[in-house]
Amino acid sequence: MKNKNWIDANAKNALLPQAGQMVWAAVPNVIICAHQTFLLYLDSDGQWRDNTGCLFSRRVNFWQSADLPECNISC
């Protein structure tokens, strides 16, 4: 990952996103020898979760901000 927009989540004194902020997270995949990206957020306990709130158990190596449009649909 040479893109300067990606932040190393495992570096000493790593900068982590604010709780609840959706980010693109890069996770290593040993089968394809590459990183996969997922849309995740950190909860208030520092646990990575997916967009449905489920705990994400894989190790995040890198992350970058995700600019997402706000949903203005009334349910």
Side-chain angles (χ1 to χ4, degrees), residues 8-72:
D8 187 345
N10 300 308
K12 185 176 181 179
N13 300 325
L15 176 66
L16 294 175
Q18 295 177 1
Q21 175 189 0
M22 297 300 289
V23 299
W24 289 110
V27 177
N29 183 322
V30 296
I31 295 172
I32 62 172
C33 295
H35 281 84
Q36 288 180 280
T37 55
F38 295 90
L39 192 58
L40 304 175
Y41 69 93
L42 275 178
D43 66 14
S44 58
D45 294 328
Q47 300 287 324
W48 289 101
R49 295 189 177 270
D50 68 13
N51 62 329
T52 64
C54 291
L55 191 60
F56 192 78
S57 60
R58 295 173 64 189
R59 182 180 59 133
V60 171
N61 279 358
F62 303 95
W63 68 273
Q64 72 175 346
S65 296
D67 294 327
L68 300 172
E70 288 188 29
C71 181
N72 293 326

